[in-house]
Amino acid sequence: MFDYLIVGAGFAGSVLAERLAVGSNKKVLLIDKRPHIAGNAYDYYNEDGILIHKYGPHIFHTNSKDVFEYLSRFTKWRQYQHRVLACVDGQLVPIPINLNTINQLYGLNLNSSQVDDFLKSMAEPVEKVRTSEDVVVGKVGRELYEKFFRGYTLKQWGLDPSELDASVTSRVPTRTNRDDRYFTDSYQAMPLHGYTRMFENMLDHPNISIMLNTDYREVKDFIPYKEMIYSGPIDEFFDYRFGKLPYRSLEFKFETHDVPLYQSAPVINYPNDYLYTRVTEFKYLTGQEHRKTSIVYEYPQAEGDPYYPVPRPENAELYKQYQALVEDLKTVHFVGRLATYKYYNMDQVTAQALTTYARITGTSRAESLR
Ligand code: FAD
Ligand code: UDP
C-alpha cells in the first residue's frame, strides 16, 4: 500500500515525493505519462551531445532563500544572469526596455532622468490597470507597446493584450537605467549538471517508486494508495465537466549548427516578424563548451500539450468552478501550474509544493524543510 500516489514528475510532484519520502517517511508512487521525470524542465543531451531543454528554455531565478536552499540539496549551480534581445525595426535591442534600448532605437544619447521624462511623455494615462495592454501603454505609450508587446502577445497567446490580465505583460518590467538583465531576483542560476540530474538526485530514495509512460487513469483503480497528489490539468481530472480550460501550447523546432555560437544573445525575441516568438541558444544557458551549437524556435499553438494557463477573467471564473470541486475531495491534493491553473515559474511551483507539504503533514514551514 502506498501512502501517496503522485501524478506528474515535474517540480510539483517531485518536490512532494521527496518531502513525503524523506521528511515524513511515507511510501510514494510517482507516475508520469511521459517517458521521463522533470516535467517541462526536462533536459537531455541530443544526438550531437549538446544539453538542450525539450520543452523550451528554462532559466531558474527566485527571491526565495528557502526555495534556493532546498533545491541546492540536489544540485550545484552555475551562476547565470539571463539577457534577451528583441528584433525591432531591423535592430537587435535589449528587452526589458531600458535606457540603452531607447537610445539605440531612437538614435539618442539620453541619461536616466531624461529617459524617464521621455517615457513619461510617451505614456498614455490609464485610469485603472486591468489588462496587459494597460500595463505597457500606461508605462511606455502606444508606440513602444506596438513595437515590443502587441505582436509578440498576439502570437504567443492568440489574444490581443487587451484580452489578457495585467499579470502577463507585468512579468516584463521597464527600466530607466542600463540594467539589461531579464530578471533581477537575488538568486539566478542554472543547475550545474542540468535539471534532469537535479530531479534524479531529488527522487533517489527507497521510499520513492517511479512509473513512467503511465497515465494515472490507467492504473489508479489497481494500485492501492491512501491519498493522491495531482499535478496534471485540473479540467481533465474532472472529465471537463464544466468545459475545457484553455491552456496555450507550443511547438518546438530544434536545429544544430556546425558553428560554436549562432546568435548574439541567449534569447532573441521576434515580436513582429515570423510565426515563432523567440529563438534560444542553449549553450549560453548551460555554459557547455562544444564545437557545435543547438537552438530552438518556439511556435505558439492553440492545441497540443498544455503549457501555459491563460490568465483572463473568464478563465479564472471557469477555474473557480473546478476549484470548488477540489474542496470536497479531502484525499486528493492539487498542486502545480496545470492543477492550480496558475502561470507560475519553477520557483513558485516549488514554493507551492513545499506549502502543500506543510499543510498536509500539519507542520510549520521551518519543520517542513527538515
Ligand atoms: P509540469 O512540469 O507540467 O509537470 C506536470 C507533469 O504531469 C507532466 O510531466 C505531465 O506529463 C504529467 N501529467 C499530466 N497529466 C498526467 C496524467 N494524466 N497521468 C500521468 N502524468 C500526467 N519557469 C521558470 O522558472 N523559468 C523559465 O525560464 C521557464 N521557462 C518556461 C518555458 C516554457 C516554454 C514553459 C512551457 C514553461 C516555462 N517555465 C519556466 C515554467 C515551468 O515549466 C513550470 O513552472 C514548471 O515546470 C511547472 O511544474 P509542474 O510540476 O507544475 O508542471
Ligand atoms: N512579452 C512581449 N514581448 C516580449 C517579451 C514578452 O509582448 O518581448 C509579453 C508576452 O505576452 C509574454 C509575456 O510578456 O507572453 C511574458 O513574457 P515572458 O518572457 O515572461 O514569457 P515566458 O518566458 O513565460 O514565455
Side-chain angles (χ1 to χ4, degrees), residues 148-149 152-153 156-157 168 171-172 182 269 278 308 343:
F148 287 88
F149 287 90
Y152 188 109
T153 302
Q156 170 72 10
W157 300 94
V168 175
R171 290 167 61 90
V172 185
Y182 208 66
N269 287 356
R278 60 185 176 190
Y308 291 84
Y343 186 179

Side-chain angles (χ1 to χ4, degrees), residues 7-14 31-34 36-41 55-61 171 183 195 214-217 230-233 236 250 252 278 298 306-308 335-339 344-349 352:
V7 181
F11 271 92
S14 298
I31 65 180
D32 204 298
K33 62 182 181 185
R34 290 172 169 164
H36 57 73
I37 57 169
N40 285 341
Y55 305 99
H58 278 69
I59 295 121
F60 186 81
H61 56 102
R171 290 167 61 90
F183 310 112
Y195 290 97
T214 310
D215 192 310
Y216 86 103
R217 286 169 298 193
Y230 180 77
S231 72
E236 187 180 303
L250 292 170
F252 302 102
R278 60 185 176 190
E298 293 175 54
Y307 292 135
Y308 291 84
V335 58
R337 178 148 146 152
L338 306 173
Y344 273 172
N345 293 327
M346 296 179 281
D347 64 318
Q348 294 171 299
V349 171
Q352 191 192 40

